[in-house]
Amino acid sequence: YDNSGAPVVTISTPVPEGKYKTSSLAQISGTASDAFQIVSASVAVRELDTNMCWSVVSGTFSVPSVAGPTCPDSVWYLVDTLVGGGIPANYVWTKSTPPLGDGFRYQVAARALDNSGNSNPPDYVNFLYDITLPTSSVSVPAHGSFIKSLASIEGIALDPQSPIPNPNPPVSFSGITGGGGVETAIRRNSDDAWWGGGSFGGAHAGQ
C-alpha cells in the first residue's frame, strides 16, 4: 500500500534559461525520487518557436504539442539510463539530446512512474541552443592608418538573431549584450609585445 503520493523529478541539465553550444549539451540529465521505487522515467523535448515536439519516428520536431506546453504521450521517451534505489528511492537518469537547430529555443519535460503507478506532474526547463559565433570588427583606428594619438578603440560586435521572425517571448541571443562583453588587445608589431595595462610586455594570454 503506497499513499505517499507521486514521485519527484528534477532536470539538472540543461539549466533553466541556459545557453548551449554543440559540445556543451550532449545529454539531458536529472534526478527522480520516491518513497519506494521508481519504475521508469521519461523525457519529451519541444521546440518552443514552432511548438513542435521531437519524434524518434520522423527524426524531427514534427509532432504538435497539446494542452499548452504538453507533448502528447506518443513522443515521451524512456530515459537511456536510470540508476539508483534504496528506501526512500533516489535515482539519477540521463537521456541523449536530440539534434537541435541553431538559434532555436527548446523545452525539456521530465516525469517518472513509481511501482504503484503514480506519476508526477512534469518538470520543465527552457533553454537556448546557439552554435553561431558572434562577429567583431575594428573601425578606429582604421587598418593600416598612421596616427599620432589614440584616445579609444572603436568597433562593431554582432550576434545572429533567431531564425524565427519576432519570436514570442523575445529572445536575448546576444552574449555581447547579455554579459559576454567585448575584449580588446593591442600588439606592438615591431617586437610582438602586447599591452599589459601600463606598458608593452610579454605574450598575450590567447597565444
Side-chain angles (χ1 to χ4, degrees):
Y1 178 69
D2 178 8
N3 65 351
S4 61
V8 176
V9 172
T10 60
I11 299 169
S12 305
T13 306
V15 298
E17 305 305 328
K19 295 177 173 64
Y20 292 88
K21 55 185 180 180
T22 305
S23 60
S24 58
L25 191 61
Q27 65 181 17
I28 300 163
S29 65
T31 62
S33 60
D34 188 69
F36 295 98
Q37 181 181 8
I38 297 292
V39 175
S40 65
S42 55
V43 168
V45 183
R46 180 169 67 103
E47 200 169 65
L48 289 173
D49 298 298
T50 63
N51 214 28
M52 293 292 181
C53 301
W54 169 255
S55 168
V56 168
V57 175
S58 67
T60 60
F61 287 87
S62 57
V63 177
S65 64
V66 296
T70 305
C71 289
D73 287 340
S74 62
V75 291
W76 282 80
Y77 300 105
L78 293 176
V79 298
D80 300 328
T81 63
L82 180 64
V83 180
I87 301 292
N90 293 287
Y91 292 78
V92 175
W93 55 264
T94 63
K95 179 69 175 175
S96 297
T97 305
L100 305 175
D102 183 24
F104 283 85
R105 298 170 302 154
Y106 293 91
Q107 181 180 79
V108 173
R111 64 190 184 191
L113 184 71
D114 67 15
N115 59 350
S116 298
N118 299 312
S119 183
N120 65 290
D123 185 31
Y124 295 99
V125 166
N126 297 342
F127 68 96
L128 169 70
Y129 184 68
D130 180 10
I131 61 175
T132 300
L133 298 177
T135 61
S136 63
S137 61
V138 177
S139 55
V140 178
H143 180 65
S145 61
F146 291 85
I147 57 176
K148 61 181 180 180
S149 63
L150 182 63
S152 63
I153 300 170
E154 300 176 15
I156 298 173
L158 299 172
D159 196 43
Q161 297 301 305
S162 169
I164 302 297
N166 303 314
N168 185 25
V171 179
S172 176
F173 268 77
S174 177
I176 300 165
T177 59
V182 177
E183 298 179 330
T184 61
I186 304 175
R187 185 183 66 180
R188 186 168 60 194
N189 290 339
S190 60
D191 59 1
D192 289 335
W194 292 87
W195 178 252
S199 63
F200 285 92
H204 187 256
Q207 289 189 322

